[in-house]
CSV table of all heavy atoms in Angstrom, one decimal:
chain,number,residue,atom,x,y,z
A,12,ALA,N,2.3,-8.6,-0.6
A,12,ALA,CA,1.2,-7.8,-1.0
A,12,ALA,C,0.1,-7.8,0.0
A,12,ALA,O,-0.7,-6.8,0.2
A,12,ALA,CB,0.6,-8.4,-2.4
A,13,ASP,N,-0.1,-8.9,0.7
A,13,ASP,CA,-1.1,-8.9,1.7
A,13,ASP,C,-0.8,-8.0,2.9
A,13,ASP,O,-1.7,-7.3,3.4
A,13,ASP,CB,-1.2,-10.3,2.3
A,13,ASP,CG,-1.9,-11.3,1.4
A,13,ASP,OD1,-2.6,-10.9,0.5
A,13,ASP,OD2,-1.7,-12.5,1.6
A,14,GLU,N,0.4,-7.8,3.2
A,14,GLU,CA,0.8,-6.9,4.3
A,14,GLU,C,0.5,-5.4,3.8
A,14,GLU,O,0.0,-4.6,4.6
A,14,GLU,CB,2.3,-7.0,4.6
A,14,GLU,CG,2.6,-8.3,5.4
A,14,GLU,CD,4.1,-8.5,5.6
A,14,GLU,OE1,4.9,-8.4,4.5
A,14,GLU,OE2,4.6,-8.7,6.7
A,15,VAL,N,0.9,-5.1,2.6
A,15,VAL,CA,0.7,-3.7,2.1
A,15,VAL,C,-0.8,-3.5,1.9
A,15,VAL,O,-1.4,-2.4,2.3
A,15,VAL,CB,1.4,-3.5,0.8
A,15,VAL,CG1,1.1,-2.1,0.2
A,15,VAL,CG2,2.8,-3.8,0.9
A,16,ASN,N,-1.6,-4.5,1.6
A,16,ASN,CA,-3.0,-4.4,1.4
A,16,ASN,C,-3.7,-4.0,2.8
A,16,ASN,O,-4.6,-3.2,2.9
A,16,ASN,CB,-3.7,-5.6,0.8
A,16,ASN,CG,-5.1,-5.4,0.4
A,16,ASN,OD1,-5.5,-4.3,0.0
A,16,ASN,ND2,-5.9,-6.5,0.7
A,17,GLU,N,-3.2,-4.7,3.9
A,17,GLU,CA,-3.7,-4.5,5.2
A,17,GLU,C,-3.5,-3.0,5.6
A,17,GLU,O,-4.3,-2.3,6.3
A,17,GLU,CB,-3.1,-5.4,6.1
A,17,GLU,CG,-3.7,-6.8,6.1
A,17,GLU,CD,-5.1,-6.7,6.4
A,17,GLU,OE1,-5.7,-6.1,7.4
A,17,GLU,OE2,-6.0,-7.4,5.6
A,18,GLN,N,-2.3,-2.5,5.2
A,18,GLN,CA,-2.0,-1.1,5.5
A,18,GLN,C,-2.9,-0.1,4.7
A,18,GLN,O,-3.3,0.9,5.3
A,18,GLN,CB,-0.5,-0.8,5.2
A,18,GLN,CG,-0.1,0.6,5.8
A,18,GLN,CD,1.4,0.8,5.8
A,18,GLN,OE1,2.2,0.0,5.3
A,18,GLN,NE2,1.8,1.9,6.2
A,19,ILE,N,-3.2,-0.5,3.5
A,19,ILE,CA,-4.1,0.3,2.7
A,19,ILE,C,-5.5,0.3,3.3
A,19,ILE,O,-6.1,1.4,3.5
A,19,ILE,CB,-4.2,-0.2,1.3
A,19,ILE,CG1,-2.8,0.1,0.5
A,19,ILE,CG2,-5.3,0.4,0.4
A,19,ILE,CD1,-2.7,-0.6,-0.8
A,20,ARG,N,-5.9,-0.9,3.7
A,20,ARG,CA,-7.3,-0.9,4.4
A,20,ARG,C,-7.2,-0.1,5.7
A,20,ARG,O,-8.3,0.6,6.0
A,20,ARG,CB,-7.5,-2.3,4.7
A,20,ARG,CG,-8.0,-3.2,3.5
A,20,ARG,CD,-8.1,-4.6,3.8
A,20,ARG,NE,-8.3,-5.4,2.7
A,20,ARG,CZ,-9.5,-6.0,2.3
A,20,ARG,NH1,-10.5,-5.7,3.0
A,20,ARG,NH2,-9.5,-6.8,1.3
A,21,GLY,N,-6.2,-0.2,6.4
A,21,GLY,CA,-6.1,0.6,7.6
A,21,GLY,C,-6.2,2.0,7.4
A,21,GLY,O,-6.8,2.8,8.2
A,22,LEU,N,-5.5,2.5,6.4
A,22,LEU,CA,-5.5,3.9,6.0
A,22,LEU,C,-7.0,4.4,5.7
A,22,LEU,O,-7.5,5.4,6.2
A,22,LEU,CB,-4.6,4.2,4.8
A,22,LEU,CG,-4.7,5.6,4.2
A,22,LEU,CD1,-4.2,6.6,5.2
A,22,LEU,CD2,-3.8,5.7,2.9
A,25,ARG,N,-9.0,4.5,9.0
A,25,ARG,CA,-8.6,5.6,9.9
A,25,ARG,C,-9.1,6.9,9.4
A,25,ARG,O,-9.4,7.8,10.2
A,25,ARG,CB,-7.1,5.7,10.0
A,25,ARG,CG,-6.4,4.8,10.8
A,25,ARG,CD,-4.9,5.1,11.1
A,25,ARG,NE,-4.2,5.5,9.9
A,25,ARG,CZ,-3.6,4.7,9.0
A,25,ARG,NH1,-3.7,3.4,9.2
A,25,ARG,NH2,-2.9,5.2,8.0
Side-chain angles (χ1 to χ4, degrees):
D13 287 341
E14 289 173 305
V15 180
N16 189 38
E17 283 302 313
Q18 191 169 0
I19 291 169
R20 288 174 187 255
L22 175 62
R25 283 191 314 277

